[in-house]
Amino acid sequence: MAKAILKFRSRRNRRIISRKNMRRIPKGVIHVQAGLHNIIVTVTDVRGRVVSSSSAGNCGFRGTRKGTPFAAQTTAVNAIRTVVMQRAEVLIKGPGLGRDAALRAIRKSGIRVTVVRDVTPLPHNGCRPPKKRRV
């Protein structure tokens, strides 16, 4: 009796395929992490489960161009493209140049933004800095 040959896909390919499918959520949270050298946009549902994500490096930007406003705009559009939702909260974190550009792209995509919150962590002189190197 011949055995059936099972075809196993690699884990990485399966994840990419599932991420590209259109997901329908009524309300979501869009996290924008705008660092000085990269932009990361993550779309989650209300419970915090990741639905879609994208970064400037993932969109084809390299080097110093990853921190530009255009890279942030492209990254936000790519992250939102695979998700169908009506309302969203936007949480923006980081000091980067792409904060406003990402927010503009999210508003232009047709999603109704209910809350825009800045969640950048600010130190209150809590941690002691590392000691100075030899001079």
Side-chain angles (χ1 to χ4, degrees):
M1 189 169 121
K3 285 188 174 180
I5 300 171
L6 298 174
K7 291 187 179 179
F8 291 103
R9 287 186 182 155
S10 70
R11 185 169 179 229
R12 185 173 174 181
N13 287 344
R14 190 176 334 125
R15 194 193 65 163
I16 289 173
I17 290 169
S18 68
R19 190 176 66 198
K20 296 298 179 190
N21 293 340
M22 294 294 263
R23 306 268 183 89
R24 302 184 79 85
I25 53 175
K27 187 178 180 189
V29 182
I30 301 173
H31 302 267
V32 178
Q33 294 178 319
L36 295 173
H37 304 293
N38 200 2
I39 310 288
I40 301 170
V41 179
T42 307
V43 181
T44 65
D45 60 3
V46 181
R47 293 177 62 183
R49 295 177 296 189
V50 175
V51 177
S52 173
S53 72
S54 183
S55 69
N58 200 7
C59 294
F61 293 94
R62 291 285 172 254
T64 56
R65 298 192 325 167
K66 289 199 295 185
T68 60
F70 178 66
Q73 177 183 339
T74 308
T75 304
V77 170
N78 272 9
I80 294 170
R81 185 184 300 157
T82 58
V83 182
V84 177
M85 67 173 140
Q86 288 82 33
R87 292 173 287 140
E89 291 183 21
V90 180
L91 305 181
I92 301 177
K93 180 189 287 187
L97 294 173
R99 297 161 52 102
D100 299 332
L103 182 59
R104 241 180 278 126
I106 292 167
R107 283 222 169 101
K108 201 178 285 186
S109 69
I111 295 172
R112 198 172 86 211
V113 177
T114 56
V115 177
V116 178
R117 190 177 302 145
D118 186 9
V119 291
T120 306
L122 293 174
H124 298 284
N125 289 347
C127 293
R128 182 175 178 172
K131 67 177 186 176
K132 300 290 184 231
R133 304 184 85 177
R134 289 183 296 280
V135 179

